[in-house]
Amino acid sequence: MRIDGAHDLRHHGDAEVRDGGAALVDLAVNVRADTPPAWLRERIAESLGSLAAYPDGRAARAAVAARHGLPVERVLLTAGAAEAFVLLARALKVRHPVVVHPQFTEPEAALRDAGHTVDRVLLRAEDDFRLDPAMVPEDADLVLVGNPTNPTSVLHPAAVLAQLARPGRTLVVDEAFMDAVPGEREALAGRTDVPGLVVLRSLTKTWGLAGLRIGYVLAAPETIAELERAQPLWPVSTPALAAAEACVGPRALAEAAHAAHRIAADRAHLVAGLSEFDSDGLRVVEPAEGPFVLIRLPRADVVRRHLRNLGFAVRRGDTFPGLGEEWLRLAVRDRTTVNRYLQALDQAVTLAR
């Protein structure tokens, strides 16, 4: 399916491990391994006794607001960040939306589905996919950018993103992977001094809740009210609300911070191992700051097929605007898994010659 005539915007990493890919070692999906933890599963299980009642999101909403030091009027809970993209596309009156690519493709797909004509700003590999605010058209009234960006793993400086703000413009920053960055450097969540700012967060990546669907939006009260009017009744289930409240508590924040440092160390190990393939033309986009890395490799499409035969799933890059078949995205995993992957990559590269 080529929604925009060139890229399958609805292709996601889970497609690599569905059906016959279930037995593969998964480096395609960016959900943290070995999650959700036992204490979180228990909290979710405890909520099942309340399923006869309609969901009440007040406690979870207040917990998210407190986590970011915001009033509850600036918080909207959603069925994952993906629902937020749909709400933004349908609820906001937008004339000239611009999406900064390469990035997660669902926001553009949602805008197109809502009837919008979408312009793209394509960041260049030669610039290490760094953003120059001057690249964004002045008349854009909605600008959407990821930070850290999926799939490039680039972490844009908050000051650079803030330069995109304008009166009359909605600036949407997708921070779905920000809690995987040690110290959440460059986060805009919690900021109220940037006009038109909308920050999206997901709880599915760090906590392994992709099947539960929980995320949230942080924005000015009037924007939150517009998005809330576009939501169906009771959009977030009781178990998801329990998870949201648990995942923004002190214990969870401490665990996420520890995991972010571990991910950074495991990512450094992966990048070091990939450097051994320099002579094969492999290039890593650096510095990588997310729980994944983007690589460029000759005949990557062939290498990916050989990797599948060797038991490993990786994310193809050609469905992202601005990338082609020579790109692959790799999720960061523990060192043992990474070492096994590097051995398989060596075999796959040899077979692809």
Side-chain angles (χ1 to χ4, degrees):
M1 178 171 59
R2 300 288 174 177
I3 292 177
D4 70 336
H7 297 87
D8 182 355
L9 301 179
R10 285 278 159 70
H11 180 91
H12 302 299
D14 62 314
E16 309 285 353
V17 291
R18 284 201 303 259
D19 303 325
L24 299 175
V25 177
D26 180 11
L27 277 75
V29 175
N30 289 326
V31 173
R32 182 163 64 101
D34 300 322
T35 53
W39 63 264
L40 180 54
R41 293 198 303 270
E42 291 170 5
R43 286 287 296 272
I44 294 168
E46 289 169 4
S47 74
L48 300 182
S50 303
L51 290 185
Y54 285 96
D56 183 348
R58 288 176 296 177
R61 188 178 185 184
V64 171
R67 183 255 193 272
H68 292 287
L70 295 170
V72 293
E73 293 79 11
R74 284 183 167 267
V75 175
L76 181 68
L77 302 176
T78 58
E83 188 202 5
F85 297 132
V86 174
L87 295 176
L88 288 164
R90 294 180 179 178
L92 300 187
K93 297 174 178 61
V94 176
R95 300 182 312 278
H96 185 189
V98 171
V99 179
V100 178
H101 284 290
Q103 79 147 343
F104 185 50
T105 53
E106 199 61 33
E108 179 173 329
L111 285 164
R112 289 177 177 273
D113 286 347
H116 297 289
T117 299
V118 181
D119 278 351
R120 294 172 176 169
V121 169
L122 295 179
L123 306 184
R124 304 189 311 161
E126 308 92 271
D127 302 325
D128 294 322
F129 299 107
R130 301 288 149 178
L131 173 64
D132 177 358
M135 299 172 70
V136 176
E138 275 295 324
D139 66 342
D141 58 355
L142 184 146
V143 177
L144 204 149
V145 60
N147 202 39
T149 306
N150 171 20
T152 63
S153 208
V154 168
L155 182 66
H156 301 293
V160 170
L161 296 180
Q163 290 178 42
L164 294 172
R166 302 279 189 283
R169 171 186 289 177
T170 299
L171 171 60
V172 181
V173 182
D174 177 7
E175 292 188 350
F177 295 100
M178 186 61 77
D179 58 355
V181 176
E184 296 198 1
R185 306 187 321 277
E186 314 303 342
L188 288 172
R191 294 273 296 269
T192 59
D193 60 324
V194 180
L197 176 64
V198 176
V199 174
L200 309 183
R201 286 286 181 113
S202 170
L203 296 173
T204 65
K205 315 299 184 185
T206 289
W207 298 109
L209 298 173
L212 195 62
R213 311 309 306 143
I214 181 63
Y216 54 89
V217 181
L218 307 175
E222 56 271 23
T223 301
I224 293 296
E226 284 187 78
L227 300 179
E228 192 168 17
R229 281 193 292 271
Q231 275 188 313
L233 290 172
W234 310 291
V236 181
S237 70
T238 294
L241 292 171
E245 189 173 356
C247 289
V248 296
R251 173 181 182 172
L253 295 180
E255 183 173 320
H258 176 76
H261 286 284
R262 186 175 70 247
I263 288 167
D266 289 342
R267 183 180 60 238
H269 179 69
L270 171 60
V271 171
L274 292 171
S275 68
E276 300 296 322
F277 294 86
D278 285 351
S279 60
D280 297 295
L282 188 151
R283 180 205 162 201
V284 181
V285 176
E286 293 188 86
E289 300 282 1
F292 45 86
V293 299
L294 182 67
I295 66 172
R296 191 174 197 170
L297 179 66
R299 305 197 71 196
D301 55 334
V302 178
V303 170
R304 184 174 69 88
R305 290 196 292 271
H306 285 306
L307 282 169
R308 290 187 70 84
N309 291 334
L310 293 166
F312 290 84
V314 298
R315 173 66 159 90
R316 57 189 278 204
D318 63 319
T319 64
F320 293 100
L323 302 182
E325 289 187 346
E326 71 275 20
W327 295 94
L328 299 173
R329 189 192 70 196
L330 315 174
V332 174
R333 298 292 185 242
D334 64 273
R335 294 190 177 207
T336 299
T337 301
V338 166
N339 290 341
R340 290 171 54 208
Y341 165 74
L342 292 170
Q343 292 175 349
L345 179 61
D346 187 35
Q347 296 179 58
V349 168
T350 299
L351 292 169
R353 288 182 183 138

